[in-house]
Amino acid sequence: MDQQLLQLLEEVQSPSEGPRKQAEQRLNDLYNNEAFPLSLSSIASHRSVPTKLRQAALLVLKNFVLSAWSPSFEEFKGVVIVNDATKAQLRDTLLALATGDEDDRKVKSASSYVVSKIASSDFPDQWESLLPTLLQVIPTGSPSRVHGALKVLSDLVEDGLNEDQFFTVARDLVKVVYDVAVDTTKKYTLRALAVSVFRGCTGILEMVLESHPADVKAFADEALNAWSPFFVETMKLPLPSAPSEEEETAETGSPADWRGLIALKLQIVKTLMKIRVVFPALLSPQSPVLFSTTWQELSALQETYHQLYINDTRQGRLEDADGLPYTLDFLVLEDLDFMQSCLRAPPVRKELEAQLSNHNTVNGTNQSTWLTEVMQLVVAYAQITTEEEGLWDIDVNIFLSEETSVTANYTPRTACGDLVIKLGEWLNDLTAEGLLNYTRIVFSSPQSSWKAKEAALYILNQLLSDFHDVDRTISPALANGFTEFIQYTLSQEDVFLRARGHLVAGMLTKTSGDALHQAGTSFMHQALKAVSEDSSDVVKSACIRVLQHYVQALPFSETQPLQAPIISAISNFFSAQDPDELADSDDLMVTLAETLRDTIGLDTRICIAPGSGALELLFTLASRAANNFQLTMIVNEGFEDIATSMKALGGDSYIRLCEKVLPSLTGVFDVGNLTEENSLINLAAELLCTLAQHGLEPLPQGFIGTVMPKLQKLLLSSEDPELLRPGTETVKHILAHDHKQFFEWHDESGKSGLEVCLVIIDRLLQPVMDDHAAAEVGGLAAELVEKAGSERLGPFLPQLLRAVAVRLASAEQAAFIQSLTLVFARLSLTNAKDVVDFLSEVQVGENNGVQIVMKKWLENSVSFAGYDAIRQNVIALSKLYSLGDLRLAQTMVHGDLIVPQSDRIMTRSRAKKDPDRYTVVPVPLKIVKVLVEELSSASGTTRAIDAAAAAELAADEGNSEDGDWEDVPGTLDLSLGATKQELMAYADGSGSLSTRQRDDETQAYLTEFFREVSTKNVGGFTEIYAALTEEEQKKLGIVA
């Protein structure tokens, strides 16, 4: 079989799809062959076999293990194919390969990974000898065997050990890897791997910290006391001389030591960062020493870093076969992050504040303090690398992606910006003052390169951006202090220095209040001129970006006269670009769209002005990058502002807007293929929806005749959810604004608007239609029922309502359920009894219509979104409750979630086996439960309770030893793109991320409702109140 497998392993790596897939299938067909896994392990063990085939054998074996070894794996296919004897043989073979004298690290790494997967299932019950074997090999084995054992141990700690298994061997394990880490006779890479294993151990400790805090902290304290001296001592070790590019990959001598010591230092800093996250109080007393040591190392590495990356093009961001980073840029990045982290430690802050205070007392000035020294450090590391310079020069899009922080490329340059931002949050204007002092030094020194000057202004740009995010301003004195340097850069030959000058000028104008209006106006004129006249696209794109800041910050009297010239400059720049290059320049297109949107927003009347091409340019940008989500959002936002303002200006303005845009929008539907996904058609549908949403009442004559044929074709032929949703919503808005014109319209076959609408709704309610695609059909149906009425609908009304009820039974997506439910909710506002009467006569399979609708309605009400929808839902439910209808009382639905009494972590596989369970309650009780929750939300009580709980938690943390280090990890994911302002708004309940804001109208209605039903005992409220939970009764009491 070995020869057959070798052939298949060769073919499975074929670049040709046909042979590759055929080989993959043949490998899968061999799973039931008992010799299959043993043959794979045999191939992997033979040194005569090429490395790529040995690796492939181990990869296939890993997939086999996951699917056929044990039910504990999520990928398990349902049948254990491997017998116990084969399992034992495979375990021994693979462990021997991973911990043997094999020199190929790729093979050892791959075999180690398979061992860790098997161990996660079999250790310790079926593989008791695994950990003892590893702990025996590591202290006594050859370097190759020690390396293999550490790699297995690393994977085991990362993926295979649970907390119980870990604690049985924790002391021995930590001692063994400690002995390797401190052994100066061993290779740096082995010692780095040992430190990496120790870091993995802190991850396990983190998982059990909450359940066993005292034991875990005691163990961590003991371990840290042993490891800390080694950490500090190693961080202080100087690096050997940097090898030349030709010597860099040598496996022995100084180049190997260079890479190895960097790898070791990196793992130490990474481990310290992890300890700070998990056990901040334990590390806090040592933070001053660690901060000082890190600062010293960064100071010592400056010259070498400049030599390799600022002046030369040495390759960075490299890792070895074990996944250990070993290049200097990685070490600098980790050091900068750790230094920033140390700045938050109270002992460090206390010391640094004392130094500032003492210096001010003696000198009466802040010049030449440690702040200035920090600025010297960050400006040194924030300089543009030679690699970045080359990339940005040939691709302006990469430059903009770095500038707008949308790139995932986190570098020492961006880390320096983060460090100064952290200083700014702590020391406010003192940080800007320290940066100004050092900027003066940089710009006055003849030895300063353009990169150093650019870096100083880049750091200022980052600090000011943070000021803007949190609504802070820079003082007028400091703002004026920076203007001379900005003016200097705008006339320099160096492209990136010139671009930086423009970018900082805009941000400084934006964050200085009124202080720089005169200078800002001058900067704006210079930026506009540069868009047309500068020789560099980098500078031009920077100026287009920064025009946004001027438009937002400067007085209308200064910006409005430049509205047309700015739009013209953007148009000319866009026209000069290569269309093929623009297709791959998302960030440049977004920048153009943002600036154009903000400029149009100065006075939207420019869109309908004779000869103006503003709107056409916005649509052209959109058409060139319709698959760019961010750009389409910008275009949608801009067009919504335009449509809103045109409506507010009066009928003539809106009519002129329609005359201008409808031919373009409807023309897209004519040339596009509605049966295939098309981003441009989707965008046109979104824009048409926006136009209809903000339409006049009645709509302009001929609007419906122009739009409805396109929408009819779209909604009856497309399968694309992203097209059907806005199309359906557009018809709903048309019906809401001008039902008379809608019902009078007939399609080319003679069908009335009412008939066309019913056909559209019927198609969207079909079971084959995706929930997301039909998400708006409920709103359309409700609007049709309301506007047409029972007289016009006649026999179609019960058919329509029955179809909605039937589709609701199978609906799963929350928005779709809300949409369909609101059809019955809106009817219940005025005809609650008729709704119940109708539903009681509907039969869907074995279920009654009341059961179907009320179950979906009540079990999803708490997730309804939109104030109007929530208010309608609340009133409708209150009307249904007040009926006191026996049919509702006899209908049972889910009540409260039954919380399982277990402290086990709920994994995905366990959740599938043990799904959520609920109590069962009658509809009237559930209605009251829902309304109590809505009352709490509408009154802001939920937020008040949450805030109180948060304050209590903060107090608890402040009183605990863990509170010694400020920030707690994992609270919010900053990668989601929320600004600090949004996050702060979240904290005070005013932001878009917050829970629902206070709704006085809904609160007043519900308060009166509960007062009435309790006073008059409507629907047996006394008994229902007694059935509420204590928390629900408390919420009613709080409001009362």
Side-chain angles (χ1 to χ4, degrees):
M1 173 175 273
D2 287 6
Q3 287 302 318
Q4 179 188 4
L5 281 176
L6 282 170
Q7 180 66 32
L8 290 174
L9 293 173
E10 186 79 51
E11 292 174 0
V12 86
Q13 300 180 66
S14 169
S16 301
E17 184 178 4
R20 185 176 68 251
K21 291 204 167 186
Q22 189 176 8
E24 290 171 353
Q25 184 57 51
R26 290 176 63 190
L27 285 170
N28 288 335
D29 293 341
L30 290 171
Y31 271 28
N32 289 314
N33 190 317
E34 288 187 8
F36 178 64
L38 294 175
S39 293
L40 288 173
S41 66
S42 174
I43 291 171
S45 301
H46 274 287
R47 299 189 184 188
S48 60
V49 177
T51 297
K52 69 171 187 175
L53 295 183
R54 299 173 72 189
Q55 283 183 284
L58 289 165
L59 176 61
V60 173
L61 184 56
K62 184 263 294 183
N63 292 335
F64 172 81
V65 166
L66 293 176
S67 64
W69 191 279
S70 167
S72 63
F73 295 122
E74 289 191 8
E75 299 88 342
F76 183 64
K77 301 298 185 185
V79 179
V80 176
I81 298 174
V82 197
N83 60 48
D84 290 344
T86 302
K87 283 185 177 182
Q89 188 175 346
L90 281 171
R91 286 193 291 259
D92 292 342
T93 301
L94 291 169
L95 184 58
L97 178 59
T99 61
D101 289 322
E102 170 66 53
D103 294 326
D104 194 317
R105 293 176 71 180
K106 292 180 179 179
V107 171
K108 293 185 81 117
S109 180
S111 58
S112 168
Y113 188 62
V114 183
V115 168
S116 71
K117 288 298 178 185
I118 294 174
S120 68
S121 166
D122 292 4
F123 178 82
D125 295 339
Q126 285 83 41
W127 203 356
E128 295 180 1
S129 62
L130 174 61
L131 208 49
T133 300
L134 295 176
L135 298 183
Q136 183 180 3
V137 169
I138 291 171
T140 60
S142 65
S144 179
R145 296 195 69 202
V146 171
H147 169 263
L150 282 172
K151 184 59 182 166
V152 172
L153 189 59
S154 175
D155 289 339
L156 189 62
V157 167
E158 192 71 29
D159 294 317
L161 283 181
N162 62 36
E163 54 268 28
D164 294 331
Q165 296 164 352
F166 173 74
F167 275 111
T168 60
V169 295
R171 293 187 189 281
D172 292 338
L173 192 158
V174 171
K175 176 67 166 59
V176 163
V177 294
Y178 172 80
D179 289 341
V180 175
V182 300
D183 188 347
T184 56
T185 65
K186 286 187 164 53
K187 292 172 63 175
Y188 284 126
T189 49
L190 278 182
R191 299 169 67 190
L193 195 52
V195 176
S196 176
V197 174
F198 177 62
R199 185 174 78 254
C201 293
T202 63
I204 298 178
L205 293 175
E206 182 179 18
M207 291 192 296
V208 294
L209 178 60
E210 186 175 348
S211 55
H212 303 88
D215 293 339
V216 170
K217 288 179 181 178
F219 177 81
D221 191 23
E222 179 185 334
L224 190 58
N225 286 335
W227 284 80
S228 289
F230 159 69
F231 286 161
V232 175
E233 179 184 329
T234 307
M235 290 172 70
K236 289 181 177 179
L237 288 177
L239 288 175
S241 299
S244 66
E245 197 162 2
E246 295 74 21
E247 300 172 330
E248 196 170 25
T249 56
E251 293 295 329
T252 58
S254 179
D257 289 343
W258 161 266
R259 296 194 308 272
L261 185 52
I262 289 176
L264 177 57
K265 285 171 171 278
L266 258 164
Q267 292 308 311
I268 287 173
V269 179
K270 282 177 171 287
T271 302
L272 288 170
M273 286 286 282
K274 183 67 176 179
I275 293 171
R276 191 207 69 79
V277 167
V278 183
F279 305 106
L282 299 183
L283 203 59
S284 187
Q286 302 176 49
S287 57
V289 172
L290 293 170
F291 177 75
S292 175
T293 303
T294 306
W295 190 342
Q296 290 170 11
E297 176 165 71
L298 284 168
S299 300
L301 294 176
Q302 275 185 48
E303 185 177 343
T304 305
Y305 180 82
H306 271 243
Q307 174 191 335
L308 296 180
Y309 301 108
I310 308 298
N311 302 326
D312 201 353
T313 54
R314 194 68 63 89
Q315 189 171 1
R317 309 185 75 84
L318 298 177
E319 296 181 349
D320 66 14
D322 296 321
L324 298 178
Y326 64 83
T327 48
L328 184 63
D329 59 324
F330 267 138
L331 176 59
V332 167
L333 183 59
E334 290 295 335
D335 278 349
L336 286 167
D337 270 354
F338 186 58
M339 185 175 175
Q340 178 199 145
S341 180
C342 287
L343 280 173
R344 304 174 225 178
V348 172
R349 289 195 169 187
K350 184 177 180 181
E351 172 63 26
L352 293 177
E353 285 171 346
Q355 290 184 26
L356 279 177
S357 178
N358 292 337
H359 187 278
N360 293 343
T361 302
V362 174
N363 300 296
T365 176
N366 286 322
Q367 293 189 2
S368 300
T369 64
W370 61 263
L371 255 178
T372 309
E373 295 173 24
V374 169
M375 296 306 167
Q376 186 275 327
L377 187 77
V378 296
V379 168
Y381 283 112
Q383 294 181 32
I384 300 172
T385 65
T386 307
E387 180 185 22
E388 289 170 331
E389 184 182 356
L391 288 172
W392 298 351
D393 200 36
I394 62 174
D395 191 344
V396 67
N397 194 69
I398 299 177
F399 168 76
L400 284 172
S401 70
E402 299 284 350
E403 195 59 38
T404 54
S405 300
V406 297
T407 175
N409 188 25
Y410 191 63
T411 64
R413 177 177 168 92
T414 47
C416 288
D418 289 347
L419 193 154
V420 173
I421 286 171
K422 191 56 61 180
L423 280 173
E425 292 171 353
W426 169 30
L427 298 173
N428 302 318
D429 279 351
L430 282 178
T431 304
E433 190 175 331
L435 180 56
L436 177 58
N437 291 335
Y438 186 67
T439 302
R440 287 181 175 135
I441 295 172
V442 171
F443 275 78
S444 63
S445 171
Q447 285 76 39
S448 294
S449 66
W450 71 263
K451 287 189 176 183
K453 295 171 183 175
E454 191 279 340
L457 294 183
Y458 166 79
I459 294 298
L460 173 62
N461 211 137
Q462 297 301 99
L463 182 63
L464 294 176
S465 295
D466 186 69
F467 278 16
H468 174 260
D469 288 344
V470 295
D471 279 338
R472 282 183 51 203
T473 57
I474 187 172
S475 71
L478 290 172
N480 281 290
F482 283 108
T483 55
E484 61 176 300
F485 308 122
I486 293 172
Q487 193 61 58
Y488 165 83
T489 63
L490 298 184
S491 59
Q492 298 305 295
E493 293 184 3
D494 304 291
V495 168
F496 297 109
L497 180 58
R498 206 159 65 245
R500 177 59 52 202
H502 282 292
L503 289 165
V504 174
M507 187 53 72
L508 192 63
T509 301
K510 196 173 184 179
T511 54
S512 58
D514 299 335
L516 290 188
H517 276 181
Q518 184 174 351
T521 301
S522 173
F523 289 146
M524 177 175 62
H525 282 271
Q526 292 179 73
L528 180 56
K529 182 180 180 182
V531 174
S532 303
E533 299 180 7
D534 200 281
S535 59
S536 166
D537 275 357
V538 168
V539 176
K540 289 180 177 180
S541 61
C543 289
I544 290 173
R545 171 170 166 74
V546 84
L547 284 170
Q548 299 169 33
H549 301 330
Y550 296 127
V551 165
Q552 295 164 9
L554 292 175
F556 179 77
S557 59
E558 300 292 344
T559 56
Q560 197 278 332
L562 295 184
Q563 184 185 37
I566 291 174
I567 293 172
S568 176
I570 295 172
S571 178
N572 292 336
F573 176 85
F574 175 70
S575 301
Q577 302 302 304
D578 185 332
D580 292 334
E581 292 183 4
L582 282 176
D584 297 320
S585 301
D586 285 354
D587 297 293
L588 175 57
M589 293 293 287
V590 165
T591 296
L592 294 173
E594 285 179 332
T595 302
L596 180 59
R597 175 200 61 193
D598 292 351
T599 305
I600 289 174
L602 285 170
D603 185 352
T604 56
R605 289 176 297 177
I606 195 171
C607 293
I608 57 174
S612 169
L615 201 52
E616 288 82 352
L617 179 58
L618 187 69
F619 285 0
T620 302
L621 288 174
S623 67
R624 290 286 183 87
N627 58 347
N628 181 327
F629 176 76
Q630 187 180 1
L631 185 139
T632 56
M633 286 289 291
I634 293 166
V635 172
N636 273 314
E637 290 171 3
F639 188 66
E640 184 171 11
D641 291 341
I642 294 167
T644 303
S645 61
M646 291 300 110
K647 180 179 180 180
L649 285 170
D652 186 56
S653 296
Y654 183 82
I655 291 170
R656 288 165 64 189
L657 177 66
C658 291
E659 291 171 347
K660 194 154 192 173
V661 302
L662 279 180
S664 300
L665 295 180
T666 56
V668 173
F669 299 125
D670 292 331
V671 300
N673 187 342
L674 297 180
T675 61
E676 296 179 3
E677 184 177 346
N678 186 309
S679 300
L680 183 57
I681 296 178
N682 293 351
L683 176 60
E686 291 279 1
L687 296 174
L688 188 57
C689 180
T690 299
L691 185 65
Q693 180 182 0
H694 299 284
L696 301 174
E697 293 185 11
L699 291 167
Q701 196 63 35
F703 183 100
I704 293 175
T706 302
V707 170
M708 272 308 299
K710 313 296 182 182
L711 291 174
Q712 180 183 8
K713 180 182 176 183
L714 179 160
L715 292 169
L716 294 180
S717 61
S718 178
E719 303 286 343
D720 183 4
E722 300 305 321
L723 190 54
L724 291 172
R725 182 193 53 75
T728 310
E729 196 173 358
T730 304
V731 178
K732 180 187 75 174
H733 291 314
I734 290 173
L735 194 54
H737 289 313
D738 195 347
H739 66 276
K740 184 175 183 295
Q741 186 183 163
F742 183 86
F743 292 138
E744 290 173 354
W745 169 77
H746 289 72
D747 71 1
E748 58 185 13
S749 67
K751 289 181 182 175
S752 69
L754 175 62
E755 291 176 273
V756 170
C757 193
L758 286 170
V759 172
I760 290 170
I761 292 172
D762 180 66
R763 178 176 188 249
L764 294 174
L765 287 175
Q766 293 300 312
V768 295
M769 190 63 66
D770 176 75
D771 278 16
H772 181 59
E776 296 296 332
V777 69
L780 175 57
E783 199 67 49
L784 180 65
V785 170
E786 185 175 302
K787 292 296 191 290
S790 58
E791 291 184 8
R792 192 187 297 265
L793 282 169
F796 293 116
L797 178 58
Q799 294 176 28
L800 173 60
L801 295 179
R802 186 182 189 285
V804 173
V806 170
R807 187 63 181 90
L808 185 58
S810 61
E812 295 180 355
Q813 191 196 54
F816 187 38
I817 293 172
Q818 173 178 329
S819 171
L820 296 178
T821 301
L822 287 177
V823 175
F824 298 103
R826 288 172 67 168
L827 283 171
S828 299
L829 296 176
T830 54
N831 300 288
K833 185 177 184 304
D834 291 344
V835 170
V836 178
D837 289 342
F838 169 77
L839 290 176
S840 66
E841 297 174 2
V842 173
Q843 197 70 23
V844 182
E846 298 179 357
N847 295 315
N848 179 266
V850 175
Q851 173 71 35
I852 292 171
V853 172
M854 296 312 301
K855 179 177 173 61
K856 279 292 175 73
W857 186 344
L858 291 169
E859 291 171 9
N860 291 276
S861 277
V862 292
S863 62
F864 281 10
Y867 280 105
D868 288 340
I870 291 170
R871 192 172 294 120
Q872 288 174 359
N873 182 53
V874 163
I875 296 172
L877 288 176
S878 70
K879 300 285 187 184
L880 289 171
Y881 176 85
S882 298
L883 291 175
D885 196 298
L886 185 61
R887 292 166 293 184
L888 294 178
Q890 292 173 340
T891 301
M892 308 301 286
V893 295
H894 283 172
D896 300 320
L897 176 67
I898 300 173
V899 181
Q901 300 300 312
S902 172
D903 57 0
R904 298 182 69 189
I905 296 173
M906 183 59 71
T907 62
R908 281 181 293 176
S909 58
R910 195 170 295 146
K912 290 179 183 177
K913 296 176 184 176
D914 187 18
D916 289 340
R917 293 185 299 129
Y918 295 84
T919 60
V920 178
V921 299
V923 163
L925 174 56
K926 182 64 176 182
I927 288 177
V928 171
K929 284 177 172 289
V930 169
L931 294 182
V932 168
E933 189 61 36
E934 293 295 347
L935 175 60
S936 176
S937 298
S939 63
T941 306
T942 303
R943 187 181 301 110
I945 294 172
D946 290 344
E952 183 179 346
L953 177 61
D956 290 343
E957 289 182 348
N959 294 329
S960 72
E961 59 175 357
D962 285 347
D964 287 350
W965 209 308
E966 279 191 356
D967 60 326
V968 179
T971 304
L972 285 170
D973 183 358
L974 297 179
S975 68
L976 294 177
T979 64
K980 288 189 178 181
Q981 187 175 5
E982 287 173 320
L983 296 178
M984 289 184 173
Y986 174 80
D988 65 19
S990 61
S992 59
L993 298 175
S994 68
T995 52
R996 278 170 47 201
Q997 296 181 15
R998 187 181 181 93
D999 182 354
D1000 292 337
E1001 188 176 337
T1002 302
Q1003 181 194 6
Y1005 177 86
L1006 283 173
T1007 300
E1008 181 58 33
F1009 166 77
F1010 279 117
R1011 183 178 292 117
E1012 181 177 344
V1013 296
S1014 60
T1015 302
K1016 300 179 180 179
N1017 194 28
V1018 176
F1021 184 77
T1022 304
E1023 292 77 11
I1024 285 179
Y1025 180 83
L1028 296 176
T1029 65
E1030 183 178 346
E1031 182 181 357
E1032 288 165 339
Q1033 292 177 355
K1034 183 178 179 182
K1035 286 179 180 178
L1036 276 179
I1038 290 174
V1039 175

